[in-house]
Amino acid sequence: MASDFALSVPPELETALRLKTVQYFVTKRPWLDLYGINVRPVAPFGSVSSKPYVEPALLHRCLPDELLFEVFARMTPHDLGRASCVCRKWRYTIRNPVFWRNACLKAWQLSGVVESYKILQSKYDGSWRKMWLLRPRVRTDGIYVSRNTYIRAGVAEWKITNPVHLVCYFRYMRFFPSGRFLYKNSSQKVKDVAKCMNFRASSTDCVFKGHYTLSDNQVEAAVLYPGLRPTVLRIRLRLRGTTVGANNRMDLLSLVTSGVNDSEIKDPDEDILGVVEGWQDDESHNPDVPAVSHQRGMMPFVFVPFHEVETTVLNLPVEKMDYFVSG
């Protein structure tokens, strides 16, 4: 299994990257001189140092730097952050920009390689790690969930008062780096829906495919509901995070349903976002399906990683979720 995805980088940019990586060959810790402590810098993989050095840790003596580099190259950015807390050597090895370059180019592959390099130099001082933390991005290692509730009046015979029901349903969105996403409306819990949020889902799972674009922190998405009267759902979102680099919240700015003509949809899997680009909120190309701008069910999306779908509080029943605030 390759440690990187197939991506062509211009030669002039690759040369500049090698020059930028040279500074990571020597560990800089000038603050230690204040205490008179001499600590030998850890030589990362690829160091030209010829002086013999015996690693004090048994793990480092058994695992060569070459293998350690390959292990890190196959880890996700979230796992790299956790691995950097293990020891000093791992921390400075993981700061190698090669790992963060691969993650950035994959996360923003829709922008293109050249555009990513321009943004890197103009906004983030040439640091891929800084770009990963500060630039808004759509997370692909989990599902965005919007929990919505409404009250429905019930009917009871032979009683003076009528019961009231609190109805709860969820909007689910799973994004992919290629510009596609999956959308599902359901009353099922997160742990049950996460199993079918993939492109192999059957029609009975009611998982719909769509396309999206990301511009700064704004997300434009569209999904097609096929049938006798095809309907397109246009979604406008704003990315934010509870901490720096989290990107774990999405505010739902607008939600519009419009009708489309059969002649405009040649293939159900085509880019529906390109078809409705430039449409107004009240525009519909099918008189039988008027454009509707929805004002209910607009709760923010909360990101749930795949390793937390079984334990998230969103799986709790309605009577235990009155305190839930998306933040």
Side-chain angles (χ1 to χ4, degrees), residues 124 144 255 268:
Y124 304 105
Y144 286 92
L255 192 66

Side-chain angles (χ1 to χ4, degrees), residues 187-321:
S187 60
Q188 295 177 297
K189 302 300 181 183
V190 182
K191 60 182 179 181
D192 299 323
V193 174
K195 303 174 183 178
C196 63
M197 290 295 287
N198 53 68
F199 287 104
R200 299 185 303 273
S202 62
S203 58
T204 56
D205 295 323
C206 296
V207 177
F208 299 97
K209 307 171 185 177
H211 294 78
Y212 75 93
T213 58
L214 175 63
S215 177
D216 197 12
N217 65 339
Q218 302 291 322
V219 179
E220 295 280 347
V223 60
L224 177 66
Y225 291 123
L228 298 178
R229 296 186 299 178
T231 305
V232 61
L233 176 65
R234 291 178 285 163
I235 309 171
R236 188 177 296 113
L237 305 144
R238 181 177 59 237
L239 265 171
R240 60 184 176 90
T242 54
T243 58
V244 177
N247 296 294
N248 54 356
R249 297 291 188 273
M250 283 199 306
D251 296 323
L252 191 53
L253 303 180
S254 67
L255 192 66
V256 181
T257 53
S258 306
V260 292
N261 292 326
D262 295 335
S263 59
E264 296 176 319
I265 307 298
K266 300 179 181 179
D267 185 3
D269 293 332
E270 71 173 320
D271 186 3
I272 187 62
L273 186 60
V275 176
V276 301
E277 185 178 4
W279 285 22
Q280 301 297 325
D281 290 345
D282 57 348
E283 183 175 353
S284 178
H285 290 193
N286 189 344
D288 296 332
V289 184
V292 178
S293 179
H294 300 272
Q295 302 299 327
R296 297 183 179 181
M298 305 288 288
M299 293 299 294
F301 283 83
V302 179
F303 183 77
V304 180
F306 286 123
H307 63 273
E308 295 181 6
V309 294
E310 296 288 340
T311 59
T312 177
V313 295
L314 293 172
N315 291 319
L316 296 177
V318 177
E319 59 271 12
K320 295 184 179 181
M321 289 291 291

Side-chain angles (χ1 to χ4, degrees), residues 70-84:
E70 290 297 327
V71 171
F72 288 156
R74 287 166 170 78
M75 295 173 65
T76 62
H78 179 265
D79 293 333
L80 286 174
R82 299 181 63 181
S84 64

Side-chain angles (χ1 to χ4, degrees), residues 168-188:
C168 176
Y169 68 97
F170 301 88
R171 301 185 192 273
Y172 296 98
M173 298 184 73
R174 180 185 177 185
F175 294 89
F176 295 86
S178 59
R180 305 185 67 186
F181 77 100
L182 299 175
Y183 179 83
K184 180 179 175 66
N185 262 6
S186 176
S187 60
Q188 295 177 297

Side-chain angles (χ1 to χ4, degrees), residues 147-163:
R147 179 182 181 272
N148 299 274
T149 58
Y150 65 92
I151 296 177
R152 180 173 62 86
V155 178
E157 297 181 355
W158 309 105
K159 289 187 177 181
I160 300 177
T161 58
N162 292 331

